[in-house]
Amino acid sequence: MGMSNWAVDNTGDTAAELQGSTRSTGFRNAKNIVADKLHDVAGALAGKAENQGASSGIARYGRQASEWMDRSAEYVRKFDYKQEDARVREYVRQSPGRSLLIAGAVGLILGAILRRR
């Protein structure tokens, strides 16, 4: 009886570990897809900006937007959600009152937005 309980507990731990790794892989895939799309949009904007001419204001803004999109793609690609989760948890531990106020304000804003629809 004791042996079968150990086997069940051990199997549950393994399943939980596998599920966590699947989530991690899924998140990594989603990050790469988003980063690739941002990079594609940046390339398209750069191409459109070049077609507008070097001196026009539209071309200048297009190049700037393209650079921002490229930077955003790199940020998304390098983003580590575990590290950010740890930072947020530490912030909440250090200042729980402020965290509650921020959460409440976000909740009120989202509630107002969703109620209007």
Side-chain angles (χ1 to χ4, degrees), residues 9-90:
D9 290 344
N10 192 21
T11 304
D13 290 344
T14 304
E17 289 171 5
L18 288 174
Q19 186 178 12
S21 69
T22 302
R23 278 191 209 137
S24 178
T25 303
F27 184 75
R28 216 174 299 127
N29 289 342
K31 271 185 7 176
N32 287 333
I33 289 169
V34 169
D36 289 343
K37 294 295 180 186
L38 284 170
H39 184 69
D40 292 346
V41 169
L45 277 172
K48 295 280 184 182
E50 286 179 17
N51 291 339
Q52 292 296 322
S55 62
S56 78
I58 294 173
R60 190 176 48 217
Y61 289 126
R63 282 191 300 272
Q64 186 176 16
S66 173
E67 290 171 12
W68 287 347
M69 295 293 258
D70 265 336
R71 280 191 233 140
S72 298
E74 287 307 308
Y75 176 81
V76 167
R77 212 177 290 284
K78 293 177 183 177
F79 184 77
D80 182 16
Y81 71 94
K82 290 180 181 179
Q83 183 181 12
E84 293 303 317
D85 180 54
R87 279 186 39 198
V88 168
R89 288 176 187 273
E90 184 61 29

